[in-house]
Amino acid sequence: MAMDQNNDNVAVEQLVKDIKRSFRPMMNGVVAQSMREKGAKGPLNWGIRLVDLRLMAKQYQPSRSLALALWKENVRECKLLATMLMPPQEMLPEFVDVWVEQTDSQELAEASAFHLYQHLDYAPLLAYQWMASDKPLVQYMGLLVITRLLRQSLIPDERGIHELIDQAQTALQSEHLFLKKAALQALTSLTDACPEINLGIPKIT
């Protein structure tokens, strides 16, 4: 059993190396430079477009071990691919806690919410926990996830609706424009799903 596990680890390590090697021909210096000029910091950035990473992800079988290994790499593209290759049913809460803590960009927050977190069985619980966070990017992911759930016609109960409204209205007062827009999207999705709710939603400029 130990030998098989070692072989699996070696295979994953080699796969990660192969994936990282494949980034070089796809490097987009213009995009990478643009992101740096806009203040993007953090891991190594090859500037590969998200649409190209999605195509790349289709070449690989979703795998928890591969996704976890990719996430550990200090490379933008590896972390984005990890969100696409992690099987939702294998994303344990302890993994979520680590990934959320290490999410340090709006792009990664969006990719995580869209590709992974909205598909978790316990997504509603996470969304409400995150919306109440004092960390803007965590709040952002909570609002993104609840919006995706509402668009799937997963309607909260009355208490959940009131809590969503309260958290979204608080986010509308944020100094972060991305958080305001996410709050507005969540409230809009709520009124689309529940037309009887009239919130008088303001426009964000």
Side-chain angles (χ1 to χ4, degrees):
M1 182 69 70
M3 183 64 71
D4 289 342
Q5 185 174 0
N6 288 337
N7 289 339
D8 289 343
N9 291 338
V10 171
V12 169
E13 289 176 4
Q14 184 58 51
L15 196 51
V16 170
K17 289 180 181 178
D18 292 342
I19 289 173
K20 291 170 66 177
R21 193 177 298 117
S22 71
F23 291 154
R24 186 171 294 277
M26 302 172 66
M27 179 180 178
N28 190 323
V30 174
V31 173
Q33 180 62 29
S34 175
M35 293 177 71
R36 285 192 293 270
E37 290 174 353
K38 293 177 181 177
K41 300 177 182 178
L44 176 65
N45 179 5
W46 290 95
I48 299 174
R49 297 182 309 164
L50 196 57
V51 63
D52 293 325
L53 289 173
R54 289 187 181 123
L55 291 174
M56 181 184 293
K58 292 180 179 180
Q59 301 173 27
Y60 300 96
Q61 185 73 21
S63 161
R64 183 175 74 176
S65 57
L66 177 57
L68 291 175
L70 285 168
W71 184 269
K72 291 179 182 178
E73 297 293 322
N74 191 36
V75 180
R76 165 186 170 267
E77 286 76 9
C78 285
K79 291 187 182 296
L80 290 172
L81 279 174
T83 71
M84 303 174 195
L85 292 173
M86 172 63 82
Q89 66 274 17
E90 297 183 40
M91 187 61 173
L92 303 178
E94 52 263 39
F95 299 152
V96 174
D97 291 342
V98 173
W99 285 28
V100 169
E101 183 66 27
Q102 296 175 352
T103 296
D104 58 2
S105 73
Q106 184 180 338
E107 179 188 43
L108 187 55
E110 292 169 358
S112 300
F114 179 77
H115 294 117
L116 181 58
Y117 296 144
Q118 68 161 316
H119 302 297
L120 302 180
D121 290 339
Y122 50 99
L125 176 61
L126 291 177
Y128 280 96
Q129 288 178 347
W130 293 344
M131 282 191 293
S133 172
D134 58 359
K135 298 179 179 179
L137 281 177
V138 178
Q139 281 183 274
Y140 186 51
M141 285 189 285
L143 290 165
L144 292 177
V145 170
I146 201 69
T147 297
R148 299 301 304 182
L149 296 177
L150 287 167
R151 291 176 181 175
Q152 298 169 36
S153 298
L154 297 175
I155 312 300
D157 59 20
E158 185 175 355
R159 179 180 177 182
I161 289 174
H162 288 304
E163 185 175 349
L164 167 56
I165 293 171
D166 287 345
Q167 296 294 353
Q169 288 179 337
T170 298
L172 285 172
Q173 308 306 313
S174 169
E175 62 183 17
H176 300 285
L177 183 59
F178 69 88
L179 199 51
K180 290 182 178 182
K181 289 184 175 179
L184 180 58
Q185 288 179 341
L187 291 175
T188 300
S189 296
L190 176 61
T191 55
D192 287 344
C194 304
E196 69 277 11
I197 298 176
N198 183 7
L199 297 175
I201 299 173
K203 293 185 177 180
I204 302 298
T205 58

